[in-house]
Every structure is written in C-alpha cells, then in structure tokens.
Amino acid sequence: MASLATAATERAGLETFRRDVIEGSMTRLVLVDFWAPWCGPCKTFTPVIERVVATYALQVALVKIDIDKNPAIAAQLRVQSVPTVYAFLGEQPVDAFAGAVGERELKAFIDRLLAAAPPPGGEAEDFGPLVEAGLAALDEGAVADALEMFRALGVEAPERADVGAGLARALTLSGDPEGAIVVLDALPEAARKDAAVAQARAAATLALSTGEAGDLAAARAAAMAAPDDPDAQFALANALIAAGARDEAADTLLTMIASDREWNGASAKLRLLQLFEAEGLADPWSAGVRRRLSAVMFR
C-alpha cells in the first residue's frame, strides 16, 4: 500500500510540474525552487526568493518542489543539493544555480534571463496571491519591496481596486501621500467605491493632515510643559499619528475629547474618526477604540 501511495503522489507531482512549470513557462519565466524540510539554508532562502519573485508580478512565477515528495523530478533534473533553482522558459530549462543566494544575486539572475529572452505576454488568471504578497510585505514593514510589487502590478492591472489600494498604501507609507491620492483618483469609478480604496484614501488624507506635525520628541515635550493647552495636545496627537504610534495618539485624543469635546469644531473627535477610517472600521483596534469613544461621549 505504501508503494502505491508513493506512486500516486509522484504522479500527482509530475502532473503539477507539467502544468505549472512546463506549460506555465510558455507565458512567463518560471523559477523552480527545489527544497527539503530538513534543509537549513532552504529556510532562510525561501522568504528571499518569494519576496523577489513577487516584485516581478506577471513576468516571473515561482514553483516550489519538495525533493522528498518528488524524487523523480529531482532525479530527472539531476538535483544534487538543496536549495537548487531551475529557470524554465518556453517549456525548457534555461539556467540553474545551487545554494542560497542573496536578493541582489537573485535579481541579477532573473534580470539577465528576462533581458535575453523575455516571455510573451499573457493574462494572469489570478492576481490575488500577488496582491496578498504585496500586502504581507507592507505588514512586515518592507515598504520598498511592497511599493515595487504594486507598481509592477499597477502596470498590468491599473483598473483593479485591490492593486490601486495596495499601491496607494505603499506610497503613503513611503512618504508620498500626494502620489497615493493621484493613484486612487485614476481608478475607475466602480473601483473607487471599494472599501480597501476608501481605507487607502483615508490613510493618505490623514498622512497629508499630519505630515507637518514635526518632531515627535519636541511635540511631546511641549505637551508635557502645557498639559492644559489643547493646541499642544493636538499637535502631539498629530505627531504620534505621523510616527505610527496609534495607541498613544488615540489616548491623547480621547483625553482631549473628555476634557472638551467641542474644542476647535470637535477637531479631536474628527481626527480620531479619520484614524479609524485609515486603520479600517472593521479592524479590531478601531472597534476597541470606538467603544472607548462611545463611553466618553455618552457618560
């Protein structure tokens, strides 16, 4: 029974290889990463190759093959160590390297192959994984990588709401909220109604509002020196938002609202509502702070 199960697994692996690698290489460059669960260098190389390939959007695809589960494929390509990466284009292996390399070397490898024999254009069946990779890079703080990913996606699918929202978020986090607004304004009308687009716009608008907040340390010192001065407290809140310190910013704004909810046209409450929109109204953090706001407003 074990041998039958192994044979079935290998057949499935060969079918997947034929579909994703051989057929897939007709429309784009396909990198095949041979790895194994017991391979230490593979664990460090995996996030590198996944991040780099994601920046090429539709030009390059990544297929990962566990050599323990697919020994026939590994033997056919004479894989002697892991990680080993094969590049396929036009149904044929065109180059390979063994060992874990850095981002710069991997990008040079890919750029050389694309320059020598660029793959024919083709429609992507699913942008979802590419968008998710870009969002994951944002969540991990790799803003430059995410910006590169979403710019590449924006060339291929400028009408997509998720691509536009992701690019706008990346631009805002990289210090260009004006550029983010331009990207969002260029989306089709239907896409501009998307929740992710609305959130990205709120984040860019908030960044524009707080962009001149100045040095956080200076704002905090001024607020401590004048605890009863709402202007100083509001300046601190803006500096905290600009610095990404949302918890302390919310605390500061809630304290201001509790003291004088109508100060300067209810500016503290309006700024807090902007922060909710930028973080996402469905975000657990926003929900928690909204409950605190309700407690302050209706006590």
Side-chain angles (χ1 to χ4, degrees):
M1 293 295 292
S3 60
L4 289 175
T6 300
T9 299
E10 290 188 5
R11 283 198 301 274
L14 287 169
E15 292 172 1
T16 299
F17 185 85
R18 185 178 303 109
R19 182 190 68 238
D20 294 345
V21 179
I22 303 302
E23 296 177 5
S25 68
M26 290 299 296
T27 57
R28 70 187 75 185
L29 176 67
V30 178
L31 297 188
V32 184
D33 177 19
F34 289 94
W35 69 287
W38 42 263
C39 167
C42 295
K43 296 177 181 178
T44 59
F45 182 59
T46 290
V48 173
I49 191 169
E50 289 178 347
R51 184 165 58 247
V52 169
V53 168
T55 66
Y56 287 86
L58 305 182
Q59 292 180 287
V60 184
L62 174 64
V63 175
K64 298 181 63 63
I65 295 181
D66 182 344
I67 63 169
D68 290 344
K69 294 181 179 179
N70 301 276
I73 298 174
Q76 184 176 357
L77 289 171
R78 299 179 181 178
V79 175
Q80 298 180 344
S81 63
V82 286
T84 288
V85 174
Y86 267 86
F88 279 75
L89 193 58
E91 299 185 307
Q92 298 293 328
V94 293
D95 208 341
F97 65 84
V101 301
E103 288 193 21
R104 182 177 299 177
E105 294 85 353
L106 184 55
K107 287 184 176 181
F109 176 80
I110 294 172
D111 290 340
R112 175 171 54 79
L113 293 174
L114 292 176
E123 289 296 324
E125 295 181 358
D126 185 7
F127 281 85
L130 298 172
V131 173
E132 290 176 5
L135 295 177
L138 285 177
D139 291 339
E140 293 167 5
V143 177
D145 288 337
L147 184 56
E148 189 174 354
M149 294 180 200
F150 281 115
R151 276 180 170 155
L153 284 170
V155 172
E156 300 292 341
E159 77 290 347
R160 286 182 62 103
D162 53 358
V163 171
L167 178 55
R169 282 187 57 192
L171 285 167
T172 296
L173 290 173
S174 65
D176 185 14
E178 296 92 344
I181 295 294
V182 170
V183 167
L184 296 173
D185 286 344
L187 288 171
E189 183 177 355
R192 292 199 297 270
K193 298 176 182 178
D194 185 85
V197 171
Q199 183 179 345
R201 184 180 295 278
T205 302
L206 181 60
L208 286 170
S209 300
T210 60
E212 302 299 325
D215 180 69
L216 175 57
R220 181 175 279 117
M224 291 180 64
D228 297 325
D229 181 357
D231 289 302
Q233 302 306 312
F234 193 64
L236 173 60
N238 285 333
L240 289 166
I241 292 171
R246 65 180 186 179
D247 289 334
E248 191 177 352
D251 289 343
T252 302
L253 292 169
L254 286 168
T255 298
M256 291 185 66
I257 295 167
S259 176
D260 183 358
R261 68 183 66 178
E262 299 302 328
W263 172 78
N264 195 28
S267 292
K269 179 185 175 182
L270 293 175
R271 181 67 85 228
L272 191 57
L273 294 177
Q274 282 185 303
L275 187 54
F276 293 158
E277 292 176 354
E279 295 292 334
L281 295 178
D283 186 89
W285 180 87
S286 296
V289 180
R290 284 205 311 273
R291 287 192 292 271
R292 294 175 59 194
L293 175 62
S294 296
V296 170
M297 295 294 295
F298 300 107
R299 64 182 181 179

